[in-house]
Amino acid sequence: MELINSQPELKHGLHFYNLSNENDLKFNNKFIQQNTIPNHKVISDKYFSFIEKKFRKQNFTSSILKDIHHKFLNSKSLDQYLENLFKINYFKSFKTIHLIIHEKGKVSANHLEFKSYAKTCTQKDVSEFNKLFFSIKKSKNRSFGQSTLKGLNFEILGTIIAREFSLPKYNVIFLLSKDDFLPQSQSDIDTFNIVTNSIPEHLNHILNFEYNQKLIERIQTCIQYGMFSVAVSKRNKIYYQCKNHHNFNNSINIQYKDFDIVINENKDRPFDDVDIFHKERITLLGDLLNTLRHELSNPLFGLKLSTELMLIDSLDNNQTMFIQEIHNGIVRCNDILHSFSTLYNHSETKISIDIVKLVDEVFTLTKSATRQIKKIVKFDNNCEKIKLISNETWIVQILFNLIINSAQELLNSNTIKPQIIVEISKQPKHITLKVIDNGPAVSQQNIKTIFNAFYTTKNKGTGLGLYISKNLAKKLSGDLRYINQQNKQGAIFELSLPLEITDEHISY
Amino acid sequence: MNILVIEDEILIQQSLKLLLQKKGATVTCCANGKNAITMIKNQNFDKIVCDLMLQDISGFDVIEESKHKYSKEEIQRKFIIITAYCSEQVTKQAQNYGCNILKKPFNDIQKALDLMLLAT
């Protein structure tokens, strides 16, 4: 790999804004807290000068404005800022604060609704947002009634007082409602105008800050799993360094302000381009299968109906047999398509699942990998009646992964009389599914690392199967673990799932 | 019972026709939306079985056009939507019109036929 030695220009690279706790409004122009990136807190000169200007421009003898600004400086996030606003007397007279934010370029807008005791967040379509935004912008009055909201999907009650802001990256609607139908007086509107003058800058700052936070997290993930390892230092003090950073001869050196940045090829990178392409291929495959399924299901349905008709009319026994076979073939095609589509389904719905039937389905899906292997499903009598309420796709994915892993180990190790047993047992509040094979056990030293991302013992493995499966199990409020039988032969993976998941359980 | 079947997959169209005829209904078939609209305008049907994914226009467009002839209540009674694509959006739209919606392929063909033959 060729490294290009150049000095790229990093624009907003290292300014991490933090809304720090300013109890008194004194400003120190060169206020920097030293810390390791990404907790690096830098309040730049630019931000201080803008605040000073704001103070001078507006009438800050007004205590409301001071208060609002103070609350802003005390907030570390958008939610906190709006909660803090509610503590100010002016805002307390309203029942709800609505904030509708549209990131320019996105197809949906976020509608945050704050009451003093609760908040909700819903998504709104950008066309609806724009209609409301422009009708507020066009109007010279700040007070609106239900007629403005007519036909739109916003659930906002009563007369509202609103203002729209056009920030560089976002369009925002700021709405206050008393949840009654009384009109706003002119003095109410005037106060509102003054009060909300500093809000756009606050919002811009917070939204940019949160945006940067997300960006930093993504950059960190890229660095962690990426092709490069990075080390950042300032005057020989290390700010940030990747775990496996080494200094090589042909590294890129960049200087940015007082920082020295060294970028190297990550030679310890645990995966290569093949794996990235493989992941992409799997996503593409999922989409392709979905399309295929829809395209095939229509003609197959036509075929099925016509064979059923022919069966009704058929008099010749031979003919009947043939038509019946055609019909069976079609039914099989449908079942296979259906099984595959649930495997790649992106929806996250919970349905009532017959667990025994699901295990059978997974065995069908894994048939090609488990041809020479004996497959047994064991369950107690009370398991047949179990209806698990959970996400079928994810459970299928986990079992599929476990069975394929077992099959591969059994075949690679040339185990005599290979077999895979899936044992289902019911506990009071959950069920466990054990995938047991009689192949080699996981070695003692590997047991701790098998669920790690990118850990694999295979030449062409991605190392993601067990990692993803464990995460899915956790998402379902269950768990996936390996049962250590010490020196006994065979591998047992146990998936435990609660019998019913409510919405509180599913965490994303 | 006069039924109109609007479906562009010929095998499905003809099979439904035969199956419904066996149960005593008079069936007319149509493979595209525009012809269907003309037929609905010129003739009277007791039931209209309409596929969503037609070659030229959508099944919902056919329903919209039929509003010129039928009242909202009649549309609810007469139209049965059949479709392979059953997304949330589709179900919502069908609920707006208030008609029955059947997902292809039919799990239980007898039940589906009974729904189509239900006298209104």
Side-chain angles (χ1 to χ4, degrees):
Chain A
M1 188 182 82
E2 213 179 277
L3 295 176
I4 308 158
N5 220 330
S6 66
Q7 302 253 349
E9 277 183 320
L10 292 167
K11 256 201 168 176
H12 301 290
L14 297 170
H15 277 189
F16 303 102
Y17 292 107
N18 186 40
L19 307 170
S20 71
N21 216 325
E22 291 278 317
N23 280 319
D24 56 345
L25 300 171
K26 271 191 215 162
F27 299 98
N28 190 343
N29 265 345
K30 306 271 180 190
F31 177 64
I32 296 177
Q33 270 183 339
Q34 290 213 351
N35 222 321
T36 55
I37 298 169
N39 294 321
H40 191 85
K41 295 169 194 163
V42 173
I43 298 179
S44 79
D45 307 350
K46 275 194 202 165
Y47 175 53
F48 278 112
S49 57
F50 113 72
I51 290 194
E52 279 183 306
K53 273 191 212 156
K54 279 282 141 199
F55 267 83
R56 278 185 228 125
K57 252 195 221 172
Q58 292 168 10
N59 186 4
F60 268 83
T61 56
S62 158
S63 57
I64 289 183
L65 294 173
K66 250 192 187 168
D67 213 353
I68 293 179
H69 197 74
H70 190 252
K71 293 281 183 287
F72 161 64
L73 292 173
N74 274 339
S75 317
K76 294 202 162 72
S77 70
L78 190 63
D79 287 0
Q80 251 190 355
Y81 176 58
L82 291 166
E83 274 169 27
N84 285 342
L85 280 183
F86 249 127
K87 297 181 189 155
I88 298 174
N89 277 331
Y90 172 76
F91 289 101
K92 269 194 202 160
S93 62
F94 292 93
K95 282 264 161 68
T96 327
I97 300 180
H98 296 265
L99 193 66
I100 313 172
I101 305 167
H102 172 235
E103 189 178 331
K104 292 183 183 174
K106 298 249 162 167
V107 296
S108 64
N110 280 331
H111 179 176
L112 296 160
E113 209 175 294
F114 277 80
K115 299 191 193 283
S116 54
Y117 50 86
K119 81 165 196 299
T120 51
C121 176
T122 47
Q123 298 271 354
K124 295 291 187 291
D125 196 57
V126 66
S127 55
E128 306 233 314
F129 173 86
N130 280 333
K131 283 187 201 153
L132 186 59
F133 187 82
F134 287 116
S135 49
I136 295 179
K137 188 169 181 177
K138 264 193 279 177
S139 156
K140 296 193 179 140
N141 196 4
R142 291 274 172 238
S143 172
F144 303 92
Q146 286 296 299
S147 53
T148 322
L149 297 167
K150 189 179 175 191
L152 299 174
N153 207 10
F154 297 98
E155 279 144 15
I156 303 176
L157 283 178
T159 49
I160 56 178
I161 188 164
R163 207 169 154 179
E164 89 309 336
F165 306 124
S166 192
L167 306 173
K169 271 208 211 112
Y170 302 90
N171 279 332
V172 178
I173 300 174
F174 185 80
L175 266 166
L176 294 173
S177 166
K178 290 190 178 164
D179 289 355
D180 61 31
F181 289 87
L182 303 169
Q184 313 275 357
S185 67
Q186 189 54 44
S187 67
D188 279 342
I189 297 175
D190 289 338
T191 320
F192 177 72
N193 273 332
I194 298 175
V195 162
T196 50
N197 268 337
S198 56
I199 289 193
E201 277 93 9
H202 294 167
L203 287 177
N204 194 32
H205 195 84
I206 299 178
L207 289 171
N208 283 338
F209 174 67
E210 295 195 334
Y211 182 86
N212 278 340
Q213 291 281 66
K214 275 197 220 150
L215 200 63
I216 293 168
E217 275 167 38
R218 279 199 217 127
I219 293 173
Q220 278 186 287
T221 321
C222 285
I223 292 177
Q224 220 180 335
Y225 293 114
M227 291 169 65
F228 301 100
S229 77
V230 178
V232 181
S233 56
K234 183 168 179 173
R235 294 183 214 120
N236 287 326
K237 178 177 173 182
I238 296 176
Y239 266 66
Y240 178 83
Q241 186 169 294
C242 285
K243 276 187 221 158
N244 32 27
H245 181 82
H246 308 291
N247 279 319
F248 295 120
N249 279 337
N250 56 339
S251 46
I252 300 177
N253 289 298
I254 303 171
Q255 295 227 304
Y256 180 71
K257 300 218 172 164
D258 284 336
F259 295 98
D260 296 308
I261 305 171
V262 179
I263 302 179
N264 280 320
E265 186 188 353
N266 186 357
K267 298 226 176 207
D268 296 339
R269 198 159 58 94
F271 65 99
D272 57 35
D273 299 315
V274 176
D275 298 287
I276 303 175
F277 289 132
H278 185 66
K279 265 203 275 182
E280 275 183 30
R281 254 187 270 137
I282 291 190
T283 327
L284 279 176
L285 200 68
D287 293 334
L288 181 69
L289 274 172
N290 251 332
T291 321
L292 208 68
R293 181 195 169 205
H294 281 138
E295 292 303 307
L296 286 178
S297 68
N298 237 15
L300 276 176
F301 182 45
L303 288 167
K304 183 160 169 249
L305 276 181
S306 17
T307 46
E308 277 168 9
L309 263 175
M310 287 201 278
L311 280 173
I312 298 173
D313 283 338
S314 166
L315 297 168
D316 180 337
N317 271 337
N318 265 330
Q319 208 174 52
T320 310
M321 187 204 68
F322 272 115
I323 301 173
Q324 185 64 53
E325 280 310 308
I326 297 175
H327 185 260
N328 292 344
I330 297 167
V331 170
R332 248 181 62 225
C333 288
N334 266 325
D335 285 343
I336 293 171
L337 275 182
H338 184 73
S339 300
F340 270 110
S341 72
T342 52
L343 186 66
Y344 284 100
N345 201 343
H346 289 305
S347 82
E348 293 172 334
T349 46
K350 297 176 284 169
I351 55 168
S352 174
I353 304 162
D354 181 342
I355 195 72
V356 177
K357 200 170 165 204
L358 186 140
V359 174
D360 267 331
E361 226 177 78
V362 180
F363 270 139
T364 314
L365 286 175
T366 52
K367 226 174 21 180
S368 60
T370 55
R371 255 184 232 292
Q372 302 119 303
I373 303 173
K374 184 171 182 187
K375 298 170 280 278
I376 307 171
V377 182
K378 274 192 194 170
F379 50 92
D380 341 316
N381 278 329
N382 55 353
C383 291
E384 271 211 272
K385 304 257 173 76
I386 297 178
K387 289 276 189 257
L388 182 67
I389 301 196
S390 182
N391 186 313
E392 186 181 10
T393 315
W394 295 352
I395 302 181
V396 167
Q397 237 180 300
I398 300 172
L399 284 178
F400 185 87
N401 175 243
L402 293 176
I403 293 175
I404 294 279
N405 280 349
S406 286
Q408 285 174 338
E409 282 298 306
L410 286 170
L411 295 173
N412 283 338
S413 61
N414 290 321
T415 311
I416 327 165
K417 291 198 189 168
Q419 67 178 21
I420 298 179
I421 306 175
V422 174
E423 203 178 277
I424 311 173
S425 70
K426 181 175 186 281
Q427 317 294 329
K429 287 211 170 150
H430 61 276
I431 66 160
T432 56
L433 290 112
K434 288 202 186 121
V435 176
I436 309 167
D437 67 57
N438 57 350
V442 174
S443 64
Q444 293 298 316
Q445 72 235 62
N446 285 339
I447 290 184
K448 287 192 184 154
T449 50
I450 41 171
F451 290 107
N452 289 352
F454 305 115
Y455 171 83
T456 180
T457 52
K458 305 170 210 164
N459 279 333
K460 286 202 171 165
T462 54
L464 288 172
L466 282 176
Y467 171 73
I468 293 178
S469 298
K470 185 153 181 140
N471 273 325
L472 286 177
K474 288 253 153 82
K475 268 202 215 178
L476 293 169
S477 301
D479 198 12
L480 176 64
R481 62 186 188 117
Y482 176 72
I483 298 187
N484 189 353
Q485 300 174 94
Q486 305 294 349
N487 291 314
K488 216 171 142 196
Q489 167 136 19
I492 306 183
F493 280 86
E494 183 190 75
L495 170 67
S496 49
L497 296 167
L499 273 175
E500 177 165 344
I501 14 178
T502 57
D503 278 314
E504 294 111 56
H505 282 153
I506 295 192
S507 52
Y508 295 102
Chain B
M1 173 130 254
N2 215 352
I3 306 183
L4 173 66
V5 173
I6 314 170
E7 163 69 67
D8 60 348
E9 184 74 46
I10 298 295
L11 271 181
I12 301 180
Q13 188 202 83
Q14 292 299 314
S15 311
L16 279 179
K17 177 176 177 181
L18 278 174
L19 285 167
L20 289 167
Q21 276 175 342
K22 278 185 188 288
K23 299 237 172 178
T26 315
V27 185
T28 321
C29 290
C30 186
N32 71 55
K34 298 224 171 93
N35 286 352
I37 294 173
T38 323
M39 280 197 202
I40 292 175
K41 224 202 284 186
N42 298 335
Q43 299 176 45
N44 279 324
F45 294 105
D46 296 305
K47 281 282 167 124
I48 304 173
V49 178
C50 185
D51 182 29
L52 277 188
M53 290 271 152
L54 296 168
Q55 281 177 356
D56 46 356
I57 55 180
S58 145
F60 286 129
D61 293 327
V62 175
I63 300 183
E64 273 300 315
E65 288 299 312
S66 333
K67 277 187 176 172
H68 294 308
K69 179 164 183 181
Y70 295 123
S71 71
K72 195 170 181 202
E73 201 227 359
E74 284 179 305
I75 288 191
Q76 248 182 327
R77 283 186 291 123
K78 288 181 193 275
F79 271 90
I80 298 180
I81 295 174
I82 56 176
T83 180
Y85 300 79
C86 231
S87 66
E88 252 186 70
Q89 236 182 351
V90 165
T91 4
K92 256 192 194 167
Q93 258 190 302
Q95 277 171 359
N96 278 341
Y97 291 113
C99 7
N100 283 308
I101 181 165
L102 281 176
K103 189 161 183 246
K104 289 195 284 187
F106 302 150
N107 283 333
D108 189 338
I109 183 74
Q110 288 308 320
K111 268 195 182 159
L113 291 173
D114 287 338
L115 187 65
M116 292 178 200
L117 293 162
L118 197 64
T120 49

